[in-house]
Amino acid sequence: MAVSARNVFKGSVASIQEGPIHAEVVVTTAGGDSIVATLTGTSVKALGLKVGSAAVAVVKAPSVILMSGTPEYRFSARNQISGTVSSIHAGAINSQVTLTLTGGSKVDAIVTNEAVSALGLKPGEPAVALFKAGQVVVGVPV
C-alpha cells in the first residue's frame, strides 16, 4: 500500500464504541501504541470493522501538533501520545520531526522551524504528539 501520509499505524482494532451517528475506533499496533479514530457508523459497517480485525490508522503529518515540557492545560485532542524525538529534518520554513513512541511506532509531525526552536525539540528529548480523532483515516486489507 502506498499513501502520501507519513503516519501509517498498522495494527488491529482493539475496541469499537458505537454511538447513534459516530463510532470511536481504537487501532492498536503490535507494540501496543494505540490510535483513536472517529468514524461514522456507516464507515464502520462498510469497512467491516470488528474487534481483532486487521486495520491501519493513517494521519497526515501536518495534522500532528507537538508539545514539550509539562502541560499547563488539558486538551480535547483524543490522541495525546508520548514519545522521544528521534530525528529532526529542517527545511527552509518547516521541519519534519519524528517521535518514537513507547511501543516502537514512529509518528511524524510537520511544524515550523520556529516551533522546533521554541519547544526546545532535540533528538533524545521527550515530546507529545497531539491530533484529533477526526483526523485519523482507518483502512482495512482488501
Side-chain angles (χ1 to χ4, degrees), residues 31-71:
D33 297 314
S34 294
I35 306 299
V36 181
T38 301
L39 306 176
T40 64
T42 303
S43 291
V44 170
K45 286 179 181 48
L47 293 171
L49 294 177
K50 298 199 180 338
V51 172
S53 63
V56 294
V58 180
V59 182
K60 291 187 65 69
S63 297
V64 179
I65 297 168
L66 296 178
M67 182 171 59
S68 66
T70 304

Side-chain angles (χ1 to χ4, degrees), residues 7-20:
N7 300 303
V8 179
F9 301 94
K10 293 181 181 179
S12 62
V13 176
S15 67
I16 301 172
Q17 182 178 355
E18 295 192 52

Side-chain angles (χ1 to χ4, degrees), residues 2-3 19 24 29 46 53 62 85 88 113:
V3 295
E24 181 180 89
T29 67
S53 63
V85 176
I88 300 172
N113 295 336

Side-chain angles (χ1 to χ4, degrees), residues 71-141:
E72 297 177 36
Y73 299 93
R74 290 181 298 168
F75 295 96
S76 62
R78 188 67 174 88
N79 293 288
Q80 299 182 36
I81 47 182
S82 298
T84 301
V85 176
S86 48
S87 66
I88 300 172
H89 298 286
I93 298 168
N94 294 322
S95 291
Q96 175 182 318
V97 179
T98 303
L99 300 184
T100 300
L101 306 179
T102 56
S105 298
K106 295 190 183 295
V107 61
D108 289 319
I110 301 296
V111 298
T112 63
N113 295 336
E114 183 178 324
V116 170
S117 177
L119 293 171
L121 298 174
K122 297 182 261 204
E125 292 293 319
V128 176
L130 293 96
F131 50 94
K132 296 190 68 68
Q135 295 294 315
V136 180
V137 176
V138 174
V140 297

